[in-house]
Amino acid sequence: MARRTGLREFQLAVAERLRNAGTRAALASKLGFQVAGVNWFVALHQVSEVIPLPPAVPVPLTHSWFRGVANVRGNLYSIVDFSAFQGGDPIASGMERRVILVSDRLVAGAGLVVSRMLGLRNPEQFNAAARPANAPAWVASAYTDAGGTRWLELDLPALAREQRFLEVGA
């Protein structure tokens, strides 16, 4: 009986370690994307999902970076062109264009248009780099990958608190 109890405790401990490892990996995973030739990533837990660019209904008297509202499975989402929001050129329509839907825990019904997705990234494979001078608060940090490519980390909670992001009216 003692041996059976020890085996059960061992199995429970292994199951708990696997569960914690999965949680740590999910929290550490970063979703890579590109906007206007710049590589970015965002913590996976800050994103609800990534979808193809849906048709958006323009809203009068809003900033040019605000694409409008889109119906995503019966829910309205505010769609922001992330390149134009940063002062760059608007992202043209195309097959690779995607919308990153922000987690509802941060801000309800918001999506960012990005040029293309670059897949999941492991932050342990990046080296810290100098954060760009005068970067907005929502640029959390900068990194370089093994090939020397620069990546910026988007802090979606900070972006969701940005007054300019919240006030789309022109």
Side-chain angles (χ1 to χ4, degrees):
M1 184 74 130
R3 182 179 170 146
R4 188 182 238 176
T5 302
L7 180 60
R8 178 156 172 74
E9 288 173 357
F10 174 75
Q11 289 172 332
L12 289 173
V14 169
E16 182 64 25
R17 280 197 305 262
L18 287 172
R19 188 170 29 258
N20 287 341
T23 302
R24 280 194 306 273
L27 290 174
S29 292
K30 308 288 184 182
L31 183 62
F33 61 95
Q34 194 172 64
V35 175
V38 177
N39 291 345
W40 289 82
F41 54 71
V42 62
L44 191 57
H45 69 277
Q46 297 176 0
V47 173
S48 64
E49 73 179 291
V50 176
I51 62 171
L53 185 61
V57 176
V59 178
L61 304 175
T62 57
H63 290 286
S64 60
W65 47 262
F66 185 71
R67 290 258 180 127
V69 293
N71 182 339
V72 179
R73 290 182 299 286
N75 297 304
L76 289 181
Y77 281 83
S78 299
I79 306 298
V80 172
D81 184 313
F82 193 50
S83 176
F85 178 78
Q86 296 176 72
D89 292 331
I91 296 173
S93 297
M95 292 297 294
E96 291 186 319
R97 307 311 181 237
R98 295 290 181 263
V99 174
I100 296 174
L101 298 180
V102 179
S103 171
D104 286 341
R105 293 180 304 237
L106 301 176
V107 61
L112 299 175
V113 177
V114 300
S115 303
R116 68 186 187 119
M117 299 307 299
L118 300 175
L120 291 178
R121 299 290 186 233
N122 181 348
E124 294 173 359
Q125 297 174 342
F126 290 85
N127 297 312
R131 189 171 174 271
N134 300 321
W138 39 266
V139 176
S141 49
Y143 297 89
T144 56
D145 61 19
T149 303
R150 184 178 182 89
W151 292 72
L152 298 177
E153 182 171 15
L154 174 60
D155 181 349
L156 276 177
L159 181 63
R161 291 187 302 270
E162 174 86 22
Q163 196 65 32
R164 191 169 65 95
F165 181 77
L166 297 172
E167 292 179 4
V168 299

